Amino acid sequence: IYAALPTSSPRYIVIVFWKQYDDGRETERLALINWVPPNSNPTQLTLHAMASKQFEQAVSSDAPFTMSI
């Protein structure tokens, strides 16, 4: 994943993985990663920060969401 990320632009990353328990149950888990390279454009940093809470809420809710990459 690291090699595919831009070096000067922040990104949100969602990784979906499944965990299987000893009793056979399976659960879906989400890992939210906030990628902010040190040399990001200040304007992009501001926009990224403004969208952070909204993005987290969209991903954490049970509602479906669409993401473009």
Side-chain angles (χ1 to χ4, degrees):
I1 294 173
Y2 178 79
L5 293 170
T7 59
S8 61
S9 180
R11 292 287 189 267
Y12 297 111
I13 304 159
V14 179
I15 299 176
V16 180
F17 60 97
W18 290 264
K19 178 170 177 55
Q20 185 169 16
Y21 296 91
D22 292 337
D23 63 4
R25 291 179 298 132
E26 289 186 358
T27 58
E28 181 181 83
R29 301 288 186 181
L30 295 177
L32 306 177
I33 300 171
N34 187 12
W35 170 255
V36 183
N39 57 342
S40 296
N41 176 302
T43 302
Q44 289 180 341
L45 284 173
T46 301
L47 293 172
H48 184 78
M50 289 171 53
S52 179
K53 189 52 110 176
Q54 206 172 19
F55 181 79
E56 184 180 330
Q57 289 172 346
V59 172
S60 298
S61 74
D62 289 335
F65 68 96
T66 303
M67 193 168 77
S68 299
I69 299 177

